[in-house]
Each structure stands twice: as structure tokens, then as C-alpha cells.
Amino acid sequence: MRSRRLDYSESTRSALVDSAVELITKRGYAGTSLDEVAKRARVTKGALYHHFSGKQALFEAAFDQVESLVYDRLDKIMTGEGTPWERALAGLNAFLRACLDPAYQRIAIHEAPVVMGWERWREAEERCSFGLVRSGLQSLIDAGEVEPVPVDVTARLLFGALSSAATEIASSPDPKKVSAEIEDVIVRMLVRLRRTEPDVSIG
């Protein structure tokens, strides 16, 4: 049986993270105070410090939340129904749509490299996203959909392209237009890797 104290503690932490996501999205990391986060979450500042050592720890929890939402959405697509090619295109589209989300733009793309430091941010991004890119590419190769390119090298190039795409979208005055242009270019790149004839040895 779960204790009421544990349930309350988890709900308090969740409220604080939700509050941080909302405020940082609107005002940025520098413009958000712990007092405001606690007030919006309807808890004391002491309760905030019970869960988080400080502002950066709270930011990292907010970062984890927005990253996890995107990861879970993409993982569901990449392991779902359809051919590997259909899943890859659907996953690409879903990622680019996530890059249009204000919370993901502000927290994961703009603020995280500065607040967490570029190396830690990059490690966190790779932990969340690189595995999906690599497994998606491997599935395309295994199914004979694309040429048998070196998986790790190609996956890292694709991951780098997607990371750059996210920054371009988040920094653009017309993010929807840039997102559509990026999707078109990446699909064209993937099509160039696609087999013109099915591999009869696959299957």
C-alpha cells in the first residue's frame, strides 16, 4: 500500500515541475524565480527545497519532463504499426512538430545548453534521442528499405542534422515554414538512401 505521505510528496514534486515548465516557457530561466514557482504550485519554498537543491536542479527536472514527453511520443511511433519507412517518416514529422512547441523550444533548445552546459545538454539529448534514430535506421536497413550504410556513422549524421533542425526552427521568425522546409530536405536525403529495387535476400 502506498502511503498518503508518498502520494503527497510525489504530487508536490509534480506540481513544482509543472509550474517551472510553465514559467520558464513564458519568462525564461533568468526571469523565473523560485518564489514564483512555489507560489504557482501552491506550496511553500521550504517544500520546494525539500525536493530540489536549487534553481538549476528544478530546471533539469523541467528539462527531463519536456524531453520525456517528446521521447515517449516518438518511441510509440517508432515501435508502432506500419512499415519501417512509414514509421521513420512519421517519427520525423512528430519530432519537427515537437520543435514547434513553445515549452520544448524554450527549455530543451534555447535554455538547456546555457543552464546545463553544452556537454551535459548534449549527453542528455543523446540519451533521449540518439537511440531512436539509430534503431530506426537499423530497422530500415534490416527491412531492405535503405542501402546498408554504416549504422553508427549515419545515425550520428542524422542526429546532428535533427539537432541543427531543432535550433533552426526554434530561432526562426517563421518556425512553421522552416519546419516544413527541413522536413522536405531530410525526406529527400532519406530517399537518396532508399533502395531502388527490393533486396530479395531480405525476408
Side-chain angles (χ1 to χ4, degrees):
M1 292 289 290
R2 291 169 58 88
S3 70
R4 289 184 180 179
R5 178 176 293 180
L6 180 58
D7 285 338
Y8 176 75
S9 177
E10 289 183 357
S11 67
T12 298
R13 187 183 190 281
S14 179
L16 286 164
V17 174
D18 289 343
S19 176
V21 168
E22 187 174 346
L23 287 169
I24 295 170
T25 299
K26 289 180 179 178
R27 304 178 187 178
Y29 180 76
T32 298
S33 72
L34 293 181
D35 286 323
E36 289 176 303
V37 172
K39 183 178 179 181
R40 185 174 288 268
R42 297 183 178 180
V43 302
T44 65
K45 199 170 178 181
L48 186 153
Y49 278 113
H50 174 74
H51 290 278
F52 302 102
S53 60
K55 190 174 178 182
Q56 180 161 338
L58 179 59
F59 174 85
E60 291 185 14
F63 170 82
D64 287 342
Q65 177 164 297
V66 296
E67 278 283 354
S68 294
L69 287 172
V70 173
Y71 175 87
D72 291 345
R73 198 178 308 145
L74 294 178
D75 184 55
K76 188 174 181 180
I77 292 170
M78 298 301 289
T79 58
E81 297 180 352
T83 66
W85 182 258
E86 290 167 342
R87 294 198 301 267
L89 295 187
L92 170 63
N93 180 263
F95 173 74
L96 294 176
R97 279 190 283 111
C99 292
L100 297 173
D101 176 68
Y104 188 78
Q105 283 188 2
R106 190 66 179 261
I107 295 172
I109 301 173
H110 285 309
E111 300 279 7
V114 178
V115 178
M116 298 168 62
W118 193 88
E119 286 189 8
R120 287 193 62 213
W121 167 72
R122 190 69 172 176
E123 286 173 4
E125 286 280 290
E126 289 208 11
R127 209 163 44 241
C128 279
S129 308
F130 177 71
L132 288 177
V133 174
R134 191 188 187 287
S135 63
L137 177 62
Q138 187 68 63
S139 293
L140 288 169
I141 294 171
D142 291 345
E145 292 273 15
V146 301
E147 297 292 338
V149 293
V151 177
D152 284 331
V153 170
T154 308
R156 292 215 168 269
L157 289 173
L158 287 171
F159 178 74
L162 291 172
S163 295
S164 296
T167 303
E168 287 296 318
I169 293 168
S171 303
S172 172
D174 192 350
K176 287 186 178 180
K177 179 184 176 184
V178 172
S179 177
E181 290 173 344
I182 287 170
E183 183 170 15
D184 179 62
V185 170
I186 293 179
V187 170
R188 286 171 184 258
M189 290 168 60
L190 291 174
V191 167
R192 293 297 296 270
L193 292 175
R194 204 170 188 196
R195 286 184 181 275
T196 54
E197 296 291 338
D199 185 350
V200 294
S201 68
I202 301 290

